Amino acid sequence: MQIEDRPAVIELKNLSKSFGRVKANDDISLKLYSSEILALLGENGSGKTTLMNMLSGIYQPDSGSILLNGETVKINSPKDAIKLGIGMIHQHFKLVDVFTAEENIKLGSRGKGESISARSLVQSLNLNIDLDKKIYDMSVSEKQTVEVLKVLTRKADILVLDEPTAVLTPQEIDTLFNTLREMKKAGKSIIIITHKLEEVLAISDRVAVLHKGRLVDTVNTKEADRFSLTEMMVGRQVDLDIKRAKTIPGDVVLSVEGLTVHGNEGNVELDKISFSLRAGEILGVAGIAGSGQKALCESIAGLQPVTSGSISLSGQRIDGLSPRQIIELGISMAFIPEDRLGMGLISSMNIPDNLLLKTYRDQKGLLLKRTQARKEAEELVEQLSIVTPGLKTPVSKLSGGNVQKVLLGREINLSPKVLITAYPVRGLDIGASMTIYDMLNEQKEKGVSVLFVGEDLDVLLALCDRIMVLSSGKLSAIVENRFATKALLGMKMVGMTTDKEDEYV
């Protein structure tokens, strides 16, 4: 039986939604069938989340209608959506850290017996989660599972997941996909918003592709490949091969010796890490989430205290210095943090004002160069194809991918000597990701030293000259590209030793 022969549980008919001059969704018609996984694919700003926000009651359409099991429905709020059996799991979790999983699941529910329902779901879906565990003790994957359970215990049969793999490790993604397959077997219908082609091909039954707010096409996944999907997404053919710029590394620019960093609770986040980074080189950093990547980047950037060891940049010791003190030494270092809005940008400010954050002081004091910042912002929007209603729009109103473009563009415009970047393409579509890889290669060719913290081993292998592997805060290996394989990196990520260590370190 073909999926299209099943009854449509949801039908979107000619939905449109505008925000000022930007038409986020333009006359979109789409069906979701019983017991299927439908991938909603598109570039950043293509209208994926807006469309699903109308289905979940966060937005109301300007025109068009929504049918549930063939009957027209009005969804004026998320509460209405839940009553109709529609639940949405957002990118940013809505959980109370000091409560247990079970307590969070009960929050906002008026019915009784929710904990029993949750425990039965854990068993029937083969979920590996402790409902008595506090949220602050949970991994990102476990928190996401709690969000899914919150929706399922309220009897949702239709689930929408917004970029659910954005912050998950490969192992956690496999766990999530197994959960989604179990939910599909149990009769749930699922929409997964994503831009990751390999994941679309692995998990979905059909793919709906949006481009600039319009539906391009809906295709059966088994009849698609990453090249055809990419062309539909961006409206043109895209070279999906990541290039590695050929350069001859220069002198050592960044030298780290015996770096030890402790967290706020006194735990060891980095344990005697030593490495060097040369001019015109991209050094990748691989590791399971929480292996010390954040502490490494922030200690080099002057944002986290160093317990012991040294950090030298062009021969100058910078360990223990604040970011402002590092700048006052005349050292040009750019840092693109993992937390874009929390640490990288100020969400309530627009693009020009965010560009000024790194350049508003000169040696005479405060100097606001608004005209220059506006010009740079206009160039940045055009160069990186940033989708925004206007330069005065707060960055909090932009999609996650467009926020990342603003942050990366600002840091590269500083002409840094060292560029530290943590997960720079997380949340970006394939077209934007390829643009970012090209920008990093351009920096490498200019002699910039690039420290690239990544989560996709294929990207690390394609882009980086050497790959440093962290495991539980320790340096597990530094592998030259010509010796690196996914199998080897995977072994080193979990701290395994091999017989021929000297051949690749």
Side-chain angles (χ1 to χ4, degrees):
M1 184 181 186
Q2 297 293 321
I3 288 176
E4 291 85 347
D5 295 330
R6 301 172 187 169
V9 292
I10 287 289
E11 183 175 0
L12 310 180
K13 297 185 73 172
N14 309 110
L15 287 191
S16 293
K17 181 69 178 178
S18 296
F19 298 95
R21 293 176 296 167
V22 176
K23 196 148 195 175
N25 292 144
D26 187 4
D27 196 36
I28 293 179
S29 295
L30 187 64
K31 290 182 179 181
L32 173 68
Y33 294 99
S34 174
S35 300
E36 84 156 325
I37 299 177
L38 173 69
L40 192 57
L41 184 65
E43 293 182 285
N44 300 116
S46 62
K48 306 184 299 293
T49 301
T50 298
L51 185 65
M52 291 301 100
N53 279 341
M54 287 190 281
L55 179 60
S56 63
I58 295 174
Y59 298 147
Q60 283 70 53
D62 297 333
S63 60
S65 57
I66 300 173
L67 281 69
L68 175 66
N69 296 319
E71 299 290 331
T72 301
V73 293
K74 290 287 186 183
I75 308 176
N76 295 317
S77 68
K79 186 180 291 186
D80 288 346
I82 284 292
K83 286 180 180 177
L84 294 169
I86 302 168
M88 186 165 177
I89 294 95
H90 300 270
Q91 287 189 60
H92 305 292
F93 304 142
K94 305 177 189 302
L95 300 170
V96 180
D97 279 355
V98 296
F99 287 2
T100 65
E102 183 177 354
E103 289 167 340
N104 270 277
I105 291 167
K106 287 182 176 180
L107 281 176
S109 175
R110 296 180 180 178
K112 294 184 178 180
E114 297 297 335
S115 61
I116 298 173
S117 178
R119 292 183 187 278
S120 65
L121 282 167
V122 167
Q123 185 174 5
S124 64
L125 296 175
N126 300 313
L127 300 180
N128 183 23
I129 188 167
D130 180 2
L131 293 176
D132 297 318
K133 194 174 183 180
K134 299 280 190 182
I135 297 299
Y136 60 71
D137 282 331
M138 288 187 165
S139 67
V140 175
S141 177
E142 289 174 314
K143 292 176 184 178
Q144 189 175 68
T145 302
V146 175
E147 289 284 13
V148 171
L149 285 169
K150 279 170 58 179
V151 171
L152 291 179
T153 55
R154 294 168 195 177
K155 300 182 179 179
D157 291 317
I158 298 159
L159 287 91
V160 179
L161 292 90
D162 189 2
E163 299 285 0
T165 66
V167 292
L168 300 185
T169 65
Q171 296 91 335
E172 290 172 332
I173 291 170
D174 288 342
T175 299
L176 171 65
F177 284 3
N178 287 335
T179 300
L180 295 183
R181 292 184 185 104
E182 291 293 331
M183 289 163 58
K184 174 184 164 183
K185 288 179 186 176
K188 308 298 182 184
S189 299
I190 301 164
I191 299 176
I192 177 171
I193 303 173
T194 186
H195 58 264
K196 297 183 179 180
L197 299 176
E198 300 301 336
E199 293 176 6
V200 167
L201 295 170
I203 190 62
S204 67
D205 298 298
R206 292 187 306 135
V207 189
V209 183
L210 299 187
H211 179 63
K212 294 183 178 179
R214 295 188 66 89
L215 179 67
V216 178
D217 200 0
T218 303
V219 297
N220 292 322
T221 305
K222 62 184 179 182
E223 297 170 0
D225 57 38
R226 63 194 190 110
F227 298 101
S228 63
L229 293 175
T230 299
E231 190 169 347
M232 283 193 285
M233 277 175 63
V234 302
R236 58 182 171 82
Q237 288 187 338
V238 176
D239 184 356
L240 298 178
D241 291 330
I242 300 173
K243 308 294 191 297
R244 185 168 75 254
K246 302 297 182 183
T247 61
I248 299 175
D251 296 333
V252 171
V253 176
L254 177 67
S255 178
V256 175
E257 295 290 338
L259 181 63
T260 299
V261 174
H262 286 82
N264 294 331
E265 305 299 322
N267 55 304
V268 178
E269 294 188 346
L270 290 176
D271 188 6
K272 299 177 182 177
I273 301 294
S274 298
F275 69 94
S276 61
L277 177 58
R278 308 177 81 89
E281 176 186 36
I282 299 179
L283 174 64
V285 180
I288 295 170
S291 294
Q293 299 95 321
K294 185 172 183 285
L296 177 66
C297 293
E298 292 186 3
S299 59
I300 295 172
L303 295 167
Q304 186 162 345
V306 171
T307 303
S308 61
S310 66
I311 305 170
S312 299
L313 219 163
S314 299
Q316 297 185 77
R317 288 280 296 268
I318 63 171
D319 46 280
L321 300 182
S322 68
R324 177 56 55 190
Q325 289 172 321
I326 293 172
I327 291 172
E328 289 171 352
L329 282 177
I331 294 171
S332 179
M333 178 167 58
F335 175 39
I336 300 159
E338 180 179 352
D339 185 358
R340 301 165 189 169
L341 289 177
M343 184 179 292
L345 302 170
I346 296 180
S347 61
S348 60
M349 291 170 57
N350 60 33
I351 298 176
D353 286 349
N354 269 288
L355 294 183
L356 284 169
L357 289 176
K358 283 289 188 79
T359 59
Y360 73 92
R361 289 181 183 272
D362 65 7
Q363 294 183 0
K364 296 179 181 179
L366 187 64
L367 181 61
L368 296 180
K369 302 178 181 178
R370 291 190 176 276
T371 302
Q372 179 63 25
R374 184 175 181 84
K375 182 181 177 182
E376 288 182 11
E378 290 171 347
E379 293 172 352
L380 202 65
V381 167
E382 183 176 356
Q383 178 190 4
L384 298 182
S385 302
I386 297 171
V387 179
T388 174
L391 292 182
K392 294 183 179 180
T393 302
V395 295
S396 62
K397 301 295 184 183
L398 306 183
S399 68
N402 286 303
V403 169
Q404 183 73 325
K405 290 180 186 179
V406 172
L407 179 54
L408 184 62
R410 183 191 72 187
E411 296 299 305
I412 285 180
N413 278 351
L414 296 172
S415 300
K417 197 167 187 178
V418 173
L419 173 60
I420 301 169
T421 173
Y423 312 107
V425 300
R426 178 180 281 173
L428 269 64
D429 56 72
I430 186 64
S433 296
M434 298 305 292
T435 299
I436 300 305
Y437 301 143
D438 289 343
M439 292 174 70
L440 294 177
N441 271 319
E442 287 172 10
Q443 294 301 299
K444 174 185 171 182
E445 290 173 330
K446 290 178 181 178
V448 176
S449 304
V450 181
L451 187 69
F452 177 89
V453 180
E455 54 198 345
D456 188 325
L457 295 183
D458 289 318
V459 171
L460 287 164
L461 290 166
L463 185 68
C464 301
D465 301 290
R466 293 182 298 145
I467 301 171
M468 176 168 64
V469 185
L470 297 179
S471 177
S472 301
K474 296 180 181 291
L475 179 61
S476 183
I478 298 179
V479 187
E480 297 241 5
N481 180 281
R482 59 197 173 114
F483 297 121
T485 64
K486 288 178 72 172
L488 174 60
L489 295 178
M491 290 172 63
K492 303 311 295 182
M493 285 168 66
V494 295
M496 292 177 63
T497 58
T498 59
D499 295 333
K500 300 180 179 180
E501 304 259 325
D502 293 337
E503 290 189 8
Y504 58 81
V505 177

